[in-house]
Amino acid sequence: MANSQRTGERAVEKLTEQGLTNLPPAATLAGMITAEVPANSSEMRLTARASDPAFAQQLANVWVDALAEEAKAIESTSIDGEDPDFQPAVELLPMTKGALPTAPYAPDVERALMIGAAAGLFLGLVWAAIKHLLDRRVRSVEAIQKVGLSAIGTLPSDPRLSKGRQVLPVTATNSSRADRSNHAYAEALRELRTNLAYMDVDNPPRVVVITSSVPGEGKSSLSANLAVTIAQTGRDVIVVDGDLRRPVIAELFSLPGDAGLTDVLAGQADLEDVLQDFGPIPNLQVLAAGRIPPNPSELLASQSMRNLLDVLSERAFVIIDAPPLLPVTDGAVLAKASDGALIVVKAGKPTIDELAKATENLDRVGANRLGVILNQVPTKGSDASRYGYYGKYYSKKETKAKVANNKRSVAVAPQPIFSEFEGQAIPSLQDGTSAGNHAAPQQASRAVGGTDTATDQIQAVHPRQTAKPSSSASRRATHQESANGENFDDILFGGAHVRKPHDKK
């Protein structure tokens, strides 16, 4: 009866009497009313829902009156018609007026947010799980091992290389020393250099090809910076641009690339005429690609190329920047003519299938696989892996350096003097005493000096060691000539290598 047509018609009449126009039909108004009877109660509660709070209040009040009138009319109606003087046994009486709503009943924003957050979290977890299961990209050393390869080095992402290919500065500056984020890449290159040196002690590789599965994995930048890192040890290094389709090595070293490898192979130039020295490191030479030939694969597979590599390997350690393995066959041809190939894999770029296919190309020609270098590993986020350590490590060192500088500004202390040795430094005080007498053995270089040296790492020196050899210390001296023409004696002090200027006569 609360939602009957007759009750709705009575409500429409009452609303019209109150001056409302353009009212919906009675059936529509009946759908906007909800009636309920609480348990163990003689009350009936009506709820009106509308888009306008004032109309909802007015509709509820009118509907109660219309329902009471409809109930009385039903009770007083007999077979003879409606008796207006009849007193019904049951009568509906309006008790209260409907209150003006202060807030909409729908939508429930708080409830909707909770449901949405729960549903979004669930769907996000499901999507992450599916993406993880279906993701075939190489992001870690474990993924490399699934292909049956070994990772001989992992290089973190460096913000300087994100701007494009470049050879990182050879000489440390004040800004580079202050920016500790750059040190992780330098340390990783040194680790890779060490791994290459101990890869095969009896028969170490002399000619190494650096390639990748697909373009854009950073092999050219890695080839150039690895060559610089190896050359910094004093070893002669030659970088050969073997990518005769898209050569970039000469541009990386800021050298002219009009003449180079192709001219030597074609017999149009002598090797000494096109081999160029890299200014900051004289023992590092670059052989540019030269003019782009129409048949690069045949040229690289020629006997002249093999003879040239034999000549170069007799005078220096050779690094060849080769094209990717999947698009062209040049990289596999060069790997066959060399002592082995290093495959550069950019974290998150190639798939496991692409890496496996590139490995098959090397195996098909009988090339030696030296290993895989995982490049541009993230240093932040869930994929940071081990390189999250570098940020924490250097952050702590910067804090200690600031504390030491603050203390030094209050108390006057003798200034340290640094003696160069193999890219490192031993501080000694101006009064001739060793810096180790004032600091713990493991902090001798940094805690006392308080000033960054021109290199990236400092070795600890025993407190009683000084820059001059003692008669009781074990000594091994060899005469060398540095890159700038100065003579040095290499001396071994309890595990620390010292380069002492050789007395000139």
Side-chain angles (χ1 to χ4, degrees):
M1 184 177 64
N3 301 97
S4 64
Q5 179 71 19
R6 290 179 56 84
T7 304
E9 293 175 353
R10 291 178 182 273
V12 170
E13 293 177 359
K14 291 182 176 295
L15 291 173
T16 304
E17 293 175 356
Q18 295 180 5
L20 296 180
T21 58
N22 299 326
L23 294 172
T28 303
L29 292 177
M32 301 167 63
I33 299 298
T34 301
E36 61 177 348
V37 178
N40 302 323
S41 174
S42 59
E43 296 180 359
M44 177 182 290
R45 296 177 182 176
L46 298 180
T47 303
R49 294 179 172 84
S51 59
D52 183 14
F55 180 72
Q57 179 189 27
Q58 193 173 8
L59 179 61
N61 294 331
V62 169
W63 203 273
V64 170
D65 296 337
L67 181 60
E69 294 178 0
E70 181 64 19
K72 183 177 180 181
I74 293 175
E75 288 291 329
S76 61
T77 300
S78 62
I79 56 176
D80 297 331
E82 183 177 351
D83 185 3
D85 298 329
F86 180 76
Q87 186 66 31
V90 178
E91 186 176 5
L92 293 179
L93 299 175
M95 297 179 60
T96 59
K97 294 289 184 180
L100 181 65
T102 57
Y105 77 96
D108 190 344
V109 178
E110 183 177 354
R111 182 169 176 269
L113 287 176
M114 294 179 61
I115 295 176
L121 179 60
F122 175 75
L123 293 177
L125 292 176
V126 171
W127 169 249
I130 295 176
K131 184 179 180 181
H132 177 72
L133 294 175
L134 299 181
D135 188 11
R136 300 280 297 171
R137 300 193 178 276
V138 180
R139 301 181 184 275
S140 62
V141 175
E142 290 75 13
I144 295 175
Q145 295 173 348
K146 292 181 180 179
V147 190
L149 299 174
S150 60
I152 66 170
T154 54
L155 300 177
S157 59
D158 192 291
R160 297 170 294 178
L161 294 177
S162 62
K163 302 175 183 178
R165 303 185 188 96
Q166 63 173 306
V167 177
L168 300 183
V170 177
T171 305
T173 61
N174 293 332
S175 60
S176 63
R177 298 189 198 107
D179 189 0
R180 302 292 183 179
S181 62
N182 300 335
H183 291 209
Y185 190 81
E187 293 293 340
L189 281 175
R190 296 188 185 99
E191 180 181 352
L192 177 59
R193 178 185 65 191
T194 303
N195 294 341
L196 285 175
Y198 290 95
M199 182 171 295
D200 190 349
V201 179
D202 295 331
N203 188 22
R206 298 281 299 174
V207 180
V208 175
V209 169
I210 298 182
T211 181
S212 61
S213 302
V214 294
E217 299 195 62
K219 63 174 183 59
S220 298
S221 296
L222 176 58
S223 301
N225 288 286
L226 178 60
V228 171
T229 304
I230 296 176
Q232 285 176 333
T233 63
R235 187 176 184 181
D236 293 333
V237 180
I238 297 177
V239 183
V240 179
D241 194 345
D243 192 345
L244 303 184
R245 302 174 189 267
R246 298 177 59 184
V248 296
I249 291 297
E251 179 183 354
L252 279 173
F253 286 97
S254 300
L255 297 173
D258 298 335
L261 176 61
T262 56
D263 300 278
V264 176
L265 296 179
Q268 298 178 358
D270 294 335
L271 177 61
E272 299 299 333
D273 295 335
V274 297
L275 205 57
Q276 306 177 69
D277 295 335
F278 180 53
I281 305 179
N283 58 313
L284 173 60
Q285 293 181 305
V286 178
L287 181 58
R291 290 174 292 181
I292 299 177
N295 55 342
S297 299
E298 291 76 7
L299 200 60
L300 295 175
S302 63
Q303 184 62 38
S304 300
M305 183 65 187
R306 289 191 288 270
N307 295 338
L308 176 61
L309 293 180
D310 292 339
V311 173
L312 294 177
S313 62
E314 292 177 357
R315 54 192 298 180
F317 180 78
V318 182
I319 295 178
I320 305 176
D321 178 38
L325 293 170
L326 295 184
V328 293
T329 187
D330 301 3
V333 170
L334 286 172
K336 172 63 177 177
S338 67
D339 296 332
L342 293 174
I343 305 176
V344 179
V345 175
K346 181 180 179 180
K349 184 175 180 63
T351 63
I352 296 179
D353 301 327
E354 290 174 336
L355 181 58
K357 178 63 176 176
T359 305
E360 292 176 3
N361 291 349
L362 292 177
D363 296 338
R364 191 175 296 113
V365 299
N368 183 24
R369 298 176 298 172
L370 298 179
V372 177
I373 303 174
L374 188 59
N375 194 26
Q376 298 186 25
V377 178
T379 57
K380 297 179 180 179
S382 58
D383 297 332
S385 183
R386 53 177 285 193
Y387 285 103
Y389 158 80
Y390 282 98
K392 298 178 181 179
Y393 173 75
Y394 286 115
S395 176
K396 290 180 180 179
K397 294 195 71 176
E398 283 183 345
T399 303
K400 291 181 180 180
K402 290 180 180 179
V403 174
N405 289 333
N406 292 337
K407 292 182 178 179
R408 196 177 297 111
S409 62
V410 177
V412 178
Q415 296 296 323
I417 302 176
F418 289 92
S419 303
E420 292 188 1
F421 67 106
E422 285 197 353
Q424 302 174 6
I426 298 180
S428 57
L429 300 181
Q430 291 179 343
D431 58 1
T433 60
S434 170
N437 295 331
H438 301 271
Q442 299 301 322
Q443 299 176 351
S445 296
R446 282 290 172 94
V448 176
T451 303
D452 289 340
T453 64
T455 59
D456 293 332
Q457 80 177 30
I458 303 295
Q459 283 188 350
V461 183
H462 195 275
R464 288 183 292 275
Q465 290 178 354
T466 63
K468 297 182 180 180
S470 62
S471 58
S472 61
S474 60
R475 171 170 176 169
R476 184 181 66 196
T478 58
H479 178 72
Q480 289 188 357
E481 184 173 341
S482 67
N484 57 8
E486 296 180 356
N487 295 325
F488 287 86
D489 284 337
D490 281 1
I491 305 173
L492 182 65
F493 281 103
H497 241 107
V498 180
R499 302 188 73 188
K500 177 185 175 185
H502 184 67
D503 295 333
K504 296 183 180 180
K505 296 182 180 180

